[in-house]
Amino acid sequence: MDKIQINGSRKLQGEVRISGAKNAALPLIASGILVKGTTVFTNVPRLMDITSIRNLLEDLGAKCSFEDNVFTVDGSGIHKIEAEYDLVRKMRASILVLGPLTARFGHAKVSMPGGCAIGARPVNMHLSGLEALGAKITIDHGYIEAKARRLVGNEIYFDIPTVTGTENLMMAAALAKGRSVLRNAAREPEIICLADALNKMGGKVSGAGTPIIEIEGVDSLEPAEVRVIPDRIETGTFMVAAAATGGDVTIKDCNPEHIGGIISKLKDTGAEVILQEKGVRVKGGPRINSVDIKTLPYPGFPTDMQAQFMAMATIAEGNSIIHESIFENRFIHANELLRMGADIKISNGNYAMVRGVEKLQGAPVMASDLRASASLVIAGLIAKGTTLISRVYHMDRGYEAIEEKFSCLGADIQRIE
Ligand code: EPZ
């Protein structure tokens, strides 16, 4: 298994280009199931998760191609409605085929996505939403089965905003008979990207980006060409790395509109953030101030940026309190940061008190999930000495060519086979 080796304490300087967003590309590719024909997605990042969803769609009978960041899905040949355990277990977001399969074929069998390192990750709201649209849901031998002659539009209320839950039900409602209203819907930019795509295919979706999304069902959707939005979490990861190393980095091809919460917090730490047309420049301040963080649904501070900020907080001046309000076990990276000399105390599972220390020391560490691996890269970049990160397959799921990108910014980082 690959490892990443970093010799730290170098300031990052220069320019980096952001890839398309993994969490936009995955629902978009799933939406290709809704269309009898070939839908084209551009700016798709080359990631393990994209390979996983491609394998799943091809197993269902779709024809896919992926070259030069252009991914195509021909859904006309889909002949299977069962998403098998062996494929779903590799990526929880496979649940995103449930809504489209039920909407187009009136029948879907999808393996229950297990939990993961950061939490139980239940899908109850996905299922109750489909039931509201008239699907009969049964769970048997680890599989969800959804059946409906034709889905019928309805009101759906989410107890809490769910990103993939909102996406699954938007796609299901798009082909339902009549009008649906999703209330307390997630508001992430990836939701807007999917709504724009469904409308380009002939769907009738309004209100995406607000807590109330209205969908007028249509009888069919047509092929379209859709561009994936920039990855706001990759953007934030490079912003934090620039500030934490005291560097000066310009991040291109990103969308500053999508990272308000990150910019605000980064400025509080003392970094200078200069907005540009399709970019943002981050310059590390003379010191790093401690800040308090609470993760929230968009447009609040993103949970996917919590681990990266914690890495920077380990060398801030003073104490930072981090409240992880979305997932029940998203501090695994803290144990590895402690091994590098950080001073972190976790209380009742979702509060972390980070006391700033002078310096981290490089050490062998282990990645546990996608954003934890990004946290360990940032820690390696700021530490004194060499850090060796194992289980980097976690990182390859969501970051395209990350060591090349950091090398171009002057980091001493290399992948060891
Ligand atoms: C999406 O996961 C992202 N993944 C996650 O990114 C991200 O952390 C998360 O949204 C929150 O922003 C993709 O988009 C593929 P949720 P998702 O449903 O949709 C609870 C990454 O690093 N919940 O918004 O699975 C759930 O347990 C990944 O790229 C239910 O209780 O998250 C959580 O506490 C990690 N029942 C909260 O809601 C449900 O039916 C928000 O989860 C669904 C969710």
Side-chain angles (χ1 to χ4, degrees):
M1 287 206 256
D2 291 359
K3 294 183 189 234
I4 293 261
Q5 178 177 290
I6 301 170
N7 293 313
S9 300
R10 297 161 72 114
K11 293 180 186 297
L12 298 181
Q13 312 269 348
E15 275 192 10
V16 64
R17 293 192 174 283
I18 294 302
S19 302
K22 163 179 88 80
N23 291 349
L26 292 172
L28 286 176
I29 290 169
S31 76
I33 291 170
L34 296 165
V35 180
K36 282 192 203 103
T38 300
T39 306
V40 180
F41 302 107
T42 58
N43 196 33
V44 174
R46 290 186 318 282
L47 301 170
M48 293 292 286
D49 277 7
I50 300 298
T51 304
S52 299
I53 197 160
R54 174 177 185 170
N55 294 341
L56 175 52
L57 259 62
E58 288 180 338
D59 185 63
L60 298 175
K63 283 195 179 43
C64 301
S65 71
F66 187 25
E67 239 170 275
D68 302 331
N69 298 97
V70 177
F71 194 104
T72 67
V73 179
D74 176 357
S76 50
I78 294 176
H79 50 72
K80 179 178 174 184
I81 53 92
E82 181 171 336
E84 302 195 4
Y85 169 71
D86 246 7
L87 294 165
V88 174
R89 72 182 175 83
K90 292 196 175 73
M91 184 185 62
R92 296 190 60 270
S94 306
I95 191 70
L96 284 165
V97 305
L98 178 64
L101 286 172
T102 310
R104 175 148 167 232
F105 300 100
H107 191 192
K109 267 185 90 172
V110 177
S111 166
M112 282 289 276
C116 70
I118 65 176
R121 313 291 294 276
V123 292
N124 57 303
M125 290 189 278
H126 298 239
L127 305 185
S128 49
L130 280 175
E131 283 177 326
L133 298 180
K136 187 174 175 326
I137 302 282
T138 50
I139 296 179
D140 201 23
H141 294 89
Y143 276 80
I144 301 161
E145 186 162 19
K147 280 186 174 170
R149 225 194 330 284
R150 180 170 184 193
L151 295 175
V152 178
N154 202 349
E155 296 262 333
I156 293 171
Y157 178 80
F158 295 111
D159 289 349
I160 49 176
T162 158
V163 175
T164 50
T166 301
E167 291 163 345
N168 233 338
L169 290 154
M170 269 168 62
M171 293 189 279
L175 287 182
K177 185 171 172 40
R179 182 167 169 273
S180 298
V181 183
L182 309 186
R183 296 186 189 282
N184 200 20
R187 301 163 57 183
E188 276 69 4
E190 292 76 30
I191 304 280
I192 299 172
C193 183
L194 177 61
D196 291 348
L198 292 171
N199 287 334
K200 261 188 145 178
M201 297 171 184
K204 295 192 177 81
V205 182
S206 58
T210 77
I212 300 176
I213 300 177
E214 299 190 23
I215 301 140
E216 204 57 54
V218 295
D219 293 335
S220 65
L221 292 168
E222 306 308 318
E225 177 165 327
V226 178
R227 182 173 177 76
V228 177
I229 57 172
D231 192 317
R232 59 193 169 93
I233 304 301
E234 185 192 19
T235 303
T237 302
F238 280 100
M239 291 170 76
V240 171
T245 58
D248 181 348
V249 173
T250 297
I251 295 148
K252 311 285 282 181
D253 298 345
C254 67
N255 185 337
E257 295 284 305
H258 295 163
I259 51 174
I262 301 168
I263 291 172
S264 159
K265 271 302 160 192
L266 214 48
K267 283 181 173 172
D268 291 349
T269 68
E272 192 184 345
V273 180
I274 303 144
L275 296 187
Q276 300 173 344
E277 172 65 17
K278 280 194 180 163
V280 63
R281 182 178 176 190
V282 178
K283 293 167 79 172
R287 61 192 197 134
I288 298 171
N289 308 320
S290 56
V291 294
D292 294 343
I293 285 172
K294 177 176 181 179
T295 63
L296 287 167
Y298 193 90
F301 184 88
T303 174
D304 290 350
M305 281 302 303
Q306 177 259 108
Q308 298 90 316
F309 262 79
M310 186 184 282
M312 179 163 71
T314 63
I315 56 165
E317 299 208 351
N319 301 338
S320 307
I321 297 173
I322 298 178
H323 178 191
E324 171 53 61
S325 85
I326 306 288
F327 291 111
E328 64 269 29
N329 188 34
R330 201 170 198 175
F331 285 144
I332 307 170
H333 44 282
N335 301 326
E336 300 303 300
L337 294 172
L338 287 170
R339 302 185 60 253
M340 298 176 73
D343 179 348
I344 305 169
K345 291 210 176 14
I346 309 286
S347 61
N348 70 38
N350 52 14
Y351 283 88
M353 160 75 91
V354 185
R355 285 191 177 78
V357 296
E358 191 60 36
K359 229 11 177 160
L360 293 183
Q361 293 92 35
V365 291
M366 186 160 67
S368 54
D369 58 85
L370 172 54
R371 306 304 170 184
S373 55
S375 173
L376 297 177
V377 169
I378 292 169
L381 291 170
I382 58 181
K384 192 169 174 348
T386 302
T387 298
L388 194 58
I389 305 171
S390 60
R391 300 194 178 179
V392 292
Y393 56 83
H394 288 292
M395 189 152 58
D396 296 338
R397 294 191 46 188
Y399 286 98
E400 185 177 33
I402 193 159
E403 67 269 20
E404 286 89 340
K405 290 181 178 178
F406 273 119
S407 291
C408 292
L409 294 174
D412 179 352
I413 180 172
Q414 56 180 316
R415 182 177 290 252
I416 299 173
E417 306 289 325

